[in-house]
PDB file of all heavy atoms in Angstrom:
ATOM      1  N   LEU A 164     109.741 159.289  88.479  1.00 82.00           N
ATOM      2  CA  LEU A 164     111.077 159.425  87.891  1.00 82.00           C
ATOM      3  C   LEU A 164     111.961 160.338  88.740  1.00 82.00           C
ATOM      4  O   LEU A 164     111.487 161.289  89.369  1.00 82.00           O
ATOM      5  CB  LEU A 164     111.006 160.012  86.489  1.00 82.00           C
ATOM      6  CG  LEU A 164     110.529 159.097  85.358  1.00 82.00           C
ATOM      7  CD1 LEU A 164     110.256 159.917  84.109  1.00 82.00           C
ATOM      8  CD2 LEU A 164     111.581 158.064  85.052  1.00 82.00           C
ATOM      9  N   ARG A 180     111.868 153.470  72.083  1.00 92.00           N
ATOM     10  CA  ARG A 180     113.068 152.679  71.910  1.00 92.00           C
ATOM     11  C   ARG A 180     112.979 151.257  72.501  1.00 92.00           C
ATOM     12  O   ARG A 180     113.287 150.260  71.820  1.00 92.00           O
ATOM     13  CB  ARG A 180     114.278 153.399  72.530  1.00 92.00           C
ATOM     14  CG  ARG A 180     114.668 154.659  71.840  1.00 92.00           C
ATOM     15  CD  ARG A 180     115.842 155.325  72.500  1.00 92.00           C
ATOM     16  NE  ARG A 180     116.107 156.665  71.926  1.00 92.00           N
ATOM     17  CZ  ARG A 180     117.039 157.489  72.393  1.00 92.00           C
ATOM     18  NH1 ARG A 180     117.800 157.130  73.410  1.00 92.00           N
ATOM     19  NH2 ARG A 180     117.220 158.674  71.838  1.00 92.00           N
ATOM     20  N   ASP A 211     116.449 126.628  56.858  1.00 81.00           N
ATOM     21  CA  ASP A 211     115.824 127.512  57.880  1.00 81.00           C
ATOM     22  C   ASP A 211     114.488 127.943  57.321  1.00 81.00           C
ATOM     23  O   ASP A 211     114.089 127.559  56.233  1.00 81.00           O
ATOM     24  CB  ASP A 211     116.773 128.693  58.209  1.00 81.00           C
ATOM     25  CG  ASP A 211     116.723 129.811  57.147  1.00 81.00           C
ATOM     26  OD1 ASP A 211     116.490 129.541  55.994  1.00 81.00           O
ATOM     27  OD2 ASP A 211     116.923 130.970  57.535  1.00 81.00           O
ATOM     28  N   THR A 214     114.723 129.632  53.787  1.00 80.00           N
ATOM     29  CA  THR A 214     114.997 128.807  52.617  1.00 80.00           C
ATOM     30  C   THR A 214     113.886 127.800  52.386  1.00 80.00           C
ATOM     31  O   THR A 214     113.680 127.320  51.261  1.00 80.00           O
ATOM     32  CB  THR A 214     116.318 128.034  52.768  1.00 80.00           C
ATOM     33  OG1 THR A 214     116.323 127.299  54.023  1.00 80.00           O
ATOM     34  CG2 THR A 214     117.479 128.988  52.805  1.00 80.00           C
ATOM     35  N   LEU A 215     113.128 127.450  53.448  1.00 84.00           N
ATOM     36  CA  LEU A 215     111.989 126.524  53.277  1.00 84.00           C
ATOM     37  C   LEU A 215     110.699 127.249  52.805  1.00 84.00           C
ATOM     38  O   LEU A 215     109.715 126.622  52.559  1.00 84.00           O
ATOM     39  CB  LEU A 215     111.682 125.790  54.599  1.00 84.00           C
ATOM     40  CG  LEU A 215     112.685 124.738  54.997  1.00 84.00           C
ATOM     41  CD1 LEU A 215     112.335 124.180  56.376  1.00 84.00           C
ATOM     42  CD2 LEU A 215     112.780 123.627  53.978  1.00 84.00           C
ATOM     43  N   VAL A 242      95.049 140.984  66.014  1.00 69.00           N
ATOM     44  CA  VAL A 242      94.739 139.581  65.944  1.00 69.00           C
ATOM     45  C   VAL A 242      94.881 139.030  64.529  1.00 69.00           C
ATOM     46  O   VAL A 242      95.458 137.968  64.291  1.00 69.00           O
ATOM     47  CB  VAL A 242      93.339 139.289  66.497  1.00 69.00           C
ATOM     48  CG1 VAL A 242      92.965 137.828  66.345  1.00 69.00           C
ATOM     49  CG2 VAL A 242      93.193 139.747  67.915  1.00 69.00           C
ATOM     50  N   ALA A 250      98.673 131.212  59.540  1.00 91.00           N
ATOM     51  CA  ALA A 250      97.990 130.390  58.574  1.00 91.00           C
ATOM     52  C   ALA A 250      98.794 130.297  57.257  1.00 91.00           C
ATOM     53  O   ALA A 250      98.891 129.205  56.684  1.00 91.00           O
ATOM     54  CB  ALA A 250      96.592 130.952  58.283  1.00 91.00           C
ATOM     55  N   GLY A 252     102.063 130.565  56.999  1.00 90.00           N
ATOM     56  CA  GLY A 252     103.251 129.768  57.257  1.00 90.00           C
ATOM     57  C   GLY A 252     102.926 128.255  57.295  1.00 90.00           C
ATOM     58  O   GLY A 252     103.644 127.441  56.719  1.00 90.00           O
ATOM     59  N   ALA A 287     105.580 135.955  43.786  1.00 93.00           N
ATOM     60  CA  ALA A 287     104.779 136.470  42.711  1.00 93.00           C
ATOM     61  C   ALA A 287     103.407 136.890  43.214  1.00 93.00           C
ATOM     62  O   ALA A 287     102.846 137.899  42.824  1.00 93.00           O
ATOM     63  CB  ALA A 287     104.634 135.411  41.603  1.00 93.00           C
ATOM     64  N   ILE A 304     105.683 147.230  50.850  1.00 82.00           N
ATOM     65  CA  ILE A 304     107.091 147.110  50.417  1.00 82.00           C
ATOM     66  C   ILE A 304     108.037 147.268  51.638  1.00 82.00           C
ATOM     67  O   ILE A 304     108.943 146.468  51.856  1.00 82.00           O
ATOM     68  CB  ILE A 304     107.450 148.136  49.346  1.00 82.00           C
ATOM     69  CG1 ILE A 304     106.706 147.771  48.045  1.00 82.00           C
ATOM     70  CG2 ILE A 304     108.951 148.187  49.088  1.00 82.00           C
ATOM     71  CD1 ILE A 304     106.904 148.769  46.928  1.00 82.00           C
ATOM     72  N   VAL A 325     104.786 133.670  73.491  1.00 94.00           N
ATOM     73  CA  VAL A 325     104.915 132.685  72.412  1.00 94.00           C
ATOM     74  C   VAL A 325     106.383 132.227  72.294  1.00 94.00           C
ATOM     75  O   VAL A 325     106.650 131.055  72.118  1.00 94.00           O
ATOM     76  CB  VAL A 325     104.424 133.233  71.053  1.00 94.00           C
ATOM     77  CG1 VAL A 325     104.722 132.291  69.904  1.00 94.00           C
ATOM     78  CG2 VAL A 325     102.914 133.498  71.129  1.00 94.00           C
ATOM     79  N   ASN A 341     117.956 114.867  69.373  1.00 88.00           N
ATOM     80  CA  ASN A 341     119.329 114.317  69.240  1.00 88.00           C
ATOM     81  C   ASN A 341     119.258 112.874  68.806  1.00 88.00           C
ATOM     82  O   ASN A 341     120.059 112.433  67.931  1.00 88.00           O
ATOM     83  CB  ASN A 341     120.024 114.392  70.600  1.00 88.00           C
ATOM     84  CG  ASN A 341     120.373 115.829  71.009  1.00 88.00           C
ATOM     85  OD1 ASN A 341     120.424 116.711  70.185  1.00 88.00           O
ATOM     86  ND2 ASN A 341     120.586 115.990  72.294  1.00 88.00           N
ATOM     87  N   THR A 369     107.238 126.717  62.892  1.00 90.00           N
ATOM     88  CA  THR A 369     106.430 127.586  62.039  1.00 90.00           C
ATOM     89  C   THR A 369     105.713 128.655  62.808  1.00 90.00           C
ATOM     90  O   THR A 369     105.616 129.822  62.376  1.00 90.00           O
ATOM     91  CB  THR A 369     105.406 126.710  61.248  1.00 90.00           C
ATOM     92  OG1 THR A 369     106.122 125.733  60.491  1.00 90.00           O
ATOM     93  CG2 THR A 369     104.557 127.571  60.341  1.00 90.00           C
ATOM     94  N   LEU A 371     106.710 130.075  65.654  1.00 94.00           N
ATOM     95  CA  LEU A 371     107.677 131.088  66.043  1.00 94.00           C
ATOM     96  C   LEU A 371     108.047 132.004  64.842  1.00 94.00           C
ATOM     97  O   LEU A 371     108.092 133.222  65.001  1.00 94.00           O
ATOM     98  CB  LEU A 371     108.950 130.407  66.571  1.00 94.00           C
ATOM     99  CG  LEU A 371     108.834 129.661  67.898  1.00 94.00           C
ATOM    100  CD1 LEU A 371     110.130 128.954  68.247  1.00 94.00           C
ATOM    101  CD2 LEU A 371     108.448 130.621  69.022  1.00 94.00           C
ATOM    102  N   VAL A 435     117.024 144.090  54.729  1.00 82.00           N
ATOM    103  CA  VAL A 435     117.997 144.354  53.683  1.00 82.00           C
ATOM    104  C   VAL A 435     119.421 144.114  54.226  1.00 82.00           C
ATOM    105  O   VAL A 435     120.255 143.502  53.607  1.00 82.00           O
ATOM    106  CB  VAL A 435     117.853 145.775  53.133  1.00 82.00           C
ATOM    107  CG1 VAL A 435     118.970 146.079  52.142  1.00 82.00           C
ATOM    108  CG2 VAL A 435     116.480 145.916  52.452  1.00 82.00           C
ATOM    109  N   SER A 458     129.339 116.372  55.841  1.00 52.00           N
ATOM    110  CA  SER A 458     130.132 116.129  57.026  1.00 52.00           C
ATOM    111  C   SER A 458     130.300 117.344  57.911  1.00 52.00           C
ATOM    112  O   SER A 458     130.711 117.255  59.038  1.00 52.00           O
ATOM    113  CB  SER A 458     131.530 115.622  56.622  1.00 52.00           C
ATOM    114  OG  SER A 458     132.178 116.611  55.801  1.00 52.00           O
TER     115      SER A 458
END
Side-chain angles (χ1 to χ4, degrees):
L164 284 169
R180 294 181 187 174
D211 78 331
T214 55
L215 289 175
V242 176
I304 291 176
V325 173
N341 291 340
T369 300
L371 292 174
V435 174
S458 61

